[in-house]
Amino acid sequence: MTADYTSQLHHLFGFSSFRTGQQEVVQRLLNQRSTLAIFPTGSGKSLCYQFVATQLPHLTLVVSPLLALMKDQLAFLHSKGIAAASIDSTLTHEQNRQVMNDVRTGHCKILMVSVERFKNERFRQFLASIEVSMLVVDEAHCISEWGHNFRPDYLKLPAYKQALNIPLVLLLTATATKKVKLDMARRFAIHTEDIIQTGFYRPNLNLNVLPVVEANKNEALLQQLHQQSGAGIVYVTLQKTAEEVARFLQQNGCRAKAYHAGLDSDIRQTIQHDFMQNHLQVVVATIAFGMGIDKSDIRFVIHYDLPKSIENYSQEIGRGGRDGQPAICTVLANLDGIVTIENFVYGDTPDQDAIVRVIDDIAAQGKTPDSNGRYQWETQLNSLSTLSNIRQLPLKTLLVQLELAEVIRPLYAYFAEFKFRFITDKAQILNQFSAERREFLNAVFTHTNMKKVWGVVDFDSIYQHYGAERGRVVTALEYLHEHNHIELASRLITDVYEVNQPKLLADDLAAKLASYFAENEEKEIQRIATLVRFFELDKCLNASLSAYFDDQHAPAQCGHCSVCKGKVAKLSYSHPIPMPDKTQVAEAMAALNAHLKDKLDIPLTESMYCRFLTNMTMPLFTRLKVKQVAGFGCCEHCRYGDVKTLVASLLP
Ligand SMILES: [Zn+2]
């Protein structure tokens, strides 16, 4: 079945025709086929779901990783008179309630949320109470462990889709290697014939790699800018560098500003606005910039530091030349930043000891089964991170690995704490309900520890005295909140898992998980090596980039990249990488040992010393103020491997 939706498209959005790939995606979705769409940045991915949402009977739920992206898409939809909303941390309770009402009444057809929102018990209850026609996952490559922006929570989306009975899914991404593509499709049971990929190659992007040592970078940058007339972005790795480079450009008569996550949001908005209006020529940005920017006439994208990965590189250069006019993309390349990037990878790998602490916590809690004969484990990420001394991101990864190994299975998450305050008088609320409900609500109110204004609900006490399950209490509170009788607030997300005891107690579990992380570490280090190799290729850069993302139709020689123009880059270090100094390291280790003596309830391990020396942090360091100890970060420019070897030789 095919139909022509062009007149609808024109009527709703004012566009005269679909762009490449859009019609195929729309057609599949309207035939109830879940679809994966891989379009380059700026080629109208979002329109696919936006159009389809207007044709579906119920809600379209969009999961997006970034608030700026959501706000941008909402502004677009509103400009077309299409009712859409988001539920996010910037909303007041009142606005939140309004959005939920609009969704419930069908007035609002598109709702945008972050993946973390699903952990909210109240939100899931709300979703279960309405009909959802389609789930859209934006930046869907976050679901793949093989991808560059793996977000462990995304792995749970297929289960949510199933639990909420959502019949249709659309995955959107700009960058996916073949492996990532197939992985994404498999997780949502999307057929290969429903993967729509448009050409990756952008003939108007002129890719250049310019080898330059650190000391000459500013001059090289200035030279690049002198050849430009339009606006552009300069990408750097660190906030500090963004400030320094922007200042340098200003001193040289350039209308430039720094942009990074450390700036207040109103300053960031002003910069975005000025850039859109061409009041600024250059934005010197960390990767935080550009995600929500839809400026079509960006004429250059310069990487002052090496990008984090080939995927990041392709996304960042993809912001250039969206109007189809030429844009120049130049990487000012040397190997100086590589050690730092590599060290960050090592810093994120948890010790086997730390993994054992997590396993022990699960085992300690899950000794006795609940009334259904299930072993349960409840945890809060923050405190587990402190307890295990694993940073939050790798810890999330560890939990997902435990899920995939079927050691734990997520049951639900809830806010450990609900508090509320009365808006309507208590007696007046009770009077509105018939006897049984009145008695129940009275029990809820009685077993709430009221302070001056707010009270914290005591679920255990309600259950003991009245026998009401938590779910019923939450539903009631939610109802009162919606009807403006109380103001409800919640905090401390607690995840509840079912524990598979035999699998948890398997002898080799910790070792297996540790080797998973070791493999991951290796994979990440390889990814960095691939990136360096990419910039040193002697084959057309555009063709190689297209091949990396599985586009077989790009020309073998673009004719307009630096390799096609005869310049093969060779990257080098500006300075030789220093070796760690034995005396200095021994002193620093002694200082750390003295500082942590009597404070530490777990053994001080080799990797803790290594992280201390290489300027990496871990939860325990923050808690015990380790950054103040003399010698912290004294080997930050050294290779982690060299530091590790030396530390091992100094340990008894
Ligand atoms: Zn080329």
Side-chain angles (χ1 to χ4, degrees):
M1 186 178 78
T2 53
D4 187 12
Y5 300 105
T6 319
S7 63
Q8 293 267 42
L9 177 75
H10 188 256
H11 170 67
L12 289 161
F13 292 91
F15 300 132
S16 55
S17 63
F18 285 105
R19 292 163 75 175
T20 315
Q22 286 175 341
Q23 176 107 19
E24 286 104 307
V25 173
V26 165
Q27 192 73 62
R28 276 175 174 73
L29 291 169
L30 291 176
N31 287 340
Q32 288 297 308
R33 297 191 71 91
S34 289
T35 304
L36 163 58
I38 306 167
F39 294 1
T41 317
S43 56
K45 281 193 302 283
S46 319
L47 189 80
C48 297
Y49 85 76
Q50 289 163 342
F51 179 80
V52 172
T54 63
Q55 310 294 309
L56 292 172
H58 308 294
L59 183 75
T60 290
L61 180 65
V62 184
V63 177
S64 174
L66 211 81
L67 194 61
L69 281 179
M70 290 188 212
K71 297 290 178 194
D72 203 52
Q73 296 185 10
L74 286 178
F76 171 77
L77 287 163
H78 293 161
S79 77
K80 303 294 174 192
I82 295 168
S86 65
I87 293 184
D88 62 66
S89 53
T90 66
L91 301 193
T92 63
H93 283 296
E94 192 51 48
Q95 289 169 322
N96 223 326
R97 184 162 43 213
Q98 186 62 48
V99 169
M100 281 156 90
N101 265 336
D102 289 349
V103 170
R104 208 186 285 283
T105 57
H107 174 66
C108 176
K109 294 284 294 284
I110 300 176
L111 179 66
M112 312 193 76
V113 296
S114 71
V115 70
E116 286 77 19
R117 185 63 45 182
F118 285 89
K119 286 188 169 173
N120 185 327
E121 183 181 22
R122 293 162 65 191
F123 179 67
R124 281 184 291 137
Q125 283 182 354
F126 168 70
L127 282 185
S129 73
I130 56 169
E131 296 250 27
V132 182
S133 289
M134 175 167 71
L135 172 70
V136 179
V137 185
D138 205 359
E139 308 288 331
H141 55 270
C142 294
I143 199 176
S144 177
E145 291 167 276
W146 302 100
H148 59 299
N149 270 340
F150 173 51
R151 301 251 303 239
D153 280 326
Y154 269 66
L155 281 180
K156 299 180 192 166
L157 284 170
Y160 291 135
K161 174 190 173 282
Q162 208 155 29
L164 294 166
N165 274 322
I166 305 174
L168 195 60
V169 66
L170 168 62
L171 307 182
L172 298 171
T173 183
T175 42
T177 60
K178 191 170 188 178
K179 199 165 194 170
V180 171
K181 183 165 79 179
L182 296 177
D183 193 23
M184 285 190 285
R186 181 181 58 80
R187 291 184 189 280
F188 283 97
I190 292 171
H191 297 280
T192 42
E193 64 266 30
D194 295 323
I195 301 177
I196 307 296
Q197 182 168 20
T198 62
F200 182 86
Y201 171 57
R202 301 258 316 266
N204 62 326
L205 296 187
N206 302 315
L207 310 186
N208 299 303
V209 181
L210 189 64
V212 50
V213 294
E214 208 58 29
N216 300 339
K217 257 191 186 170
N218 281 352
E219 276 312 310
L221 174 63
L222 214 51
Q223 241 174 36
Q224 290 285 319
L225 292 186
H226 284 325
Q227 296 163 18
Q228 307 296 334
S229 51
I233 309 176
V234 175
Y235 281 110
V236 299
T237 306
L238 302 173
Q239 296 184 2
K240 192 177 68 165
T241 319
E243 297 285 352
E244 286 165 3
V245 172
R247 207 172 308 124
F248 169 78
L249 291 177
Q250 287 160 8
Q251 284 161 357
N252 285 277
C254 187
R255 284 172 294 131
K257 281 261 169 75
Y259 182 101
H260 53 73
L263 297 171
D264 284 344
S265 71
D266 49 337
I267 295 179
R268 290 206 305 256
Q269 270 174 15
T270 311
I271 294 172
Q272 284 197 15
H273 178 262
D274 288 352
F275 186 62
M276 292 298 286
Q277 304 295 319
N278 291 323
H279 297 150
L280 272 177
Q281 193 205 353
V282 185
V283 173
V284 186
T286 59
I287 49 161
F289 187 73
M291 291 287 271
I293 293 282
D294 200 10
K295 185 173 170 60
S296 63
D297 59 349
I298 293 175
R299 294 276 71 88
F300 61 91
V301 176
I302 297 175
H303 281 88
Y304 188 89
D305 296 314
L306 283 187
K308 257 178 72 190
S309 65
I310 297 181
E311 287 86 346
N312 285 82
Y313 173 67
S314 94
Q315 266 181 354
E316 286 155 12
I317 61 172
R319 290 174 191 135
R322 291 197 190 161
D323 54 6
Q325 298 300 308
I328 292 182
C329 308
T330 303
V331 181
L332 306 178
N334 61 47
L335 298 177
D336 295 6
I338 293 292
V339 170
T340 313
I341 305 178
E342 283 181 353
N343 286 359
F344 269 112
V345 173
Y346 293 116
D348 255 356
T349 305
D351 280 353
Q352 186 160 332
D353 289 11
I355 295 172
V356 168
R357 284 193 288 276
V358 173
I359 293 174
D360 286 350
D361 186 61
I362 303 174
Q365 238 191 67
K367 276 202 181 104
T368 44
D370 67 4
S371 52
N372 299 318
R374 293 196 299 204
Y375 293 91
Q376 290 198 3
W377 176 55
E378 297 199 359
T379 190
Q380 284 159 2
L381 199 64
N382 251 329
S383 48
L384 188 64
S385 171
T386 309
L387 173 91
S388 62
N389 194 29
I390 301 176
R391 274 153 58 165
Q392 292 210 4
L393 185 66
L395 183 58
K396 281 185 192 172
T397 307
L398 174 61
L399 294 181
V400 169
Q401 283 311 309
L402 283 165
E403 283 180 36
L404 295 177
E406 296 174 340
V407 173
I408 56 174
R409 188 172 70 85
L411 292 174
Y412 55 94
Y414 65 89
F415 281 100
E417 198 178 280
F418 277 84
K419 57 179 192 173
F420 68 86
R421 68 182 182 89
F422 287 106
I423 297 171
T424 309
D425 181 64
K426 184 163 106 182
Q428 219 175 317
I429 297 176
L430 292 173
N431 277 335
Q432 294 180 13
F433 295 95
S434 59
E436 196 277 335
R437 286 189 174 173
R438 191 184 309 147
E439 198 187 329
F440 161 63
L441 283 181
N442 195 36
V444 173
F445 294 157
T446 309
H447 297 283
T448 292
N449 307 316
M450 289 309 279
K451 298 281 159 55
K452 271 182 191 155
V453 179
W454 290 86
V456 178
V457 183
D458 186 343
F459 289 100
D460 286 341
S461 181
I462 297 170
Y463 184 73
Q464 279 162 23
H465 291 90
Y466 190 79
E469 298 274 355
R470 190 190 162 84
R472 187 181 175 196
V473 178
V474 173
T475 309
L477 291 169
E478 187 66 35
Y479 176 88
L480 294 175
H481 175 71
E482 271 179 37
H483 289 77
N484 220 16
H485 293 313
I486 62 170
E487 184 178 342
L488 187 62
S490 45
R491 58 182 209 100
L492 290 182
I493 284 186
T494 302
D495 292 300
V496 183
Y497 296 91
E498 180 176 357
V499 180
N500 181 323
Q501 288 287 27
K503 287 193 172 166
L504 176 71
L505 300 175
D507 285 338
D508 57 349
L509 180 61
K512 270 188 182 160
L513 290 165
S515 75
Y516 165 82
F517 279 103
E519 277 166 31
N520 248 5
E521 184 180 279
E522 182 55 33
K523 211 153 64 186
E524 288 298 318
I525 297 294
Q526 285 303 326
R527 199 197 292 282
I528 297 167
T530 309
L531 176 82
V532 172
R533 266 202 309 278
F534 176 80
F535 289 125
E536 293 187 327
L537 280 177
D538 58 1
K539 281 188 289 221
C540 171
L541 297 173
N542 264 312
S544 307
L545 194 61
S546 300
Y548 184 81
F549 292 111
D550 201 29
D551 171 8
Q552 312 299 343
H553 305 293
Q557 283 185 320
C558 72
H560 53 87
C561 71
S562 50
V563 176
C564 283
K565 288 179 181 164
K567 286 182 195 148
V568 174
K570 179 83 193 99
L571 312 194
S572 54
Y573 294 96
S574 305
H575 311 282
I577 302 174
M579 286 302 283
D581 180 89
K582 191 171 173 182
T583 318
Q584 191 186 27
V585 166
E587 280 172 15
M589 284 171 69
L592 180 65
N593 202 0
H595 179 79
L596 291 182
K597 207 169 172 224
D598 308 326
K599 289 187 192 144
L600 213 56
D601 41 15
I602 53 176
L604 185 49
T605 59
E606 179 184 290
S607 80
M608 287 187 213
Y609 282 119
C610 290
R611 280 168 224 215
F612 170 74
L613 294 163
T614 53
N615 197 19
M616 299 292 137
T617 182
M618 51 203 323
L620 182 134
F621 286 5
T622 320
R623 189 160 46 96
L624 299 177
K625 301 191 169 52
V626 163
K627 276 191 175 185
Q628 301 165 4
V629 179
F632 179 77
C634 66
C635 300
E636 66 173 323
H637 299 296
C638 306
R639 277 187 193 281
Y640 193 90
D642 295 338
V643 175
K644 195 172 162 182
T645 310
L646 181 57
V647 167
S649 76
L650 291 171
L651 283 175

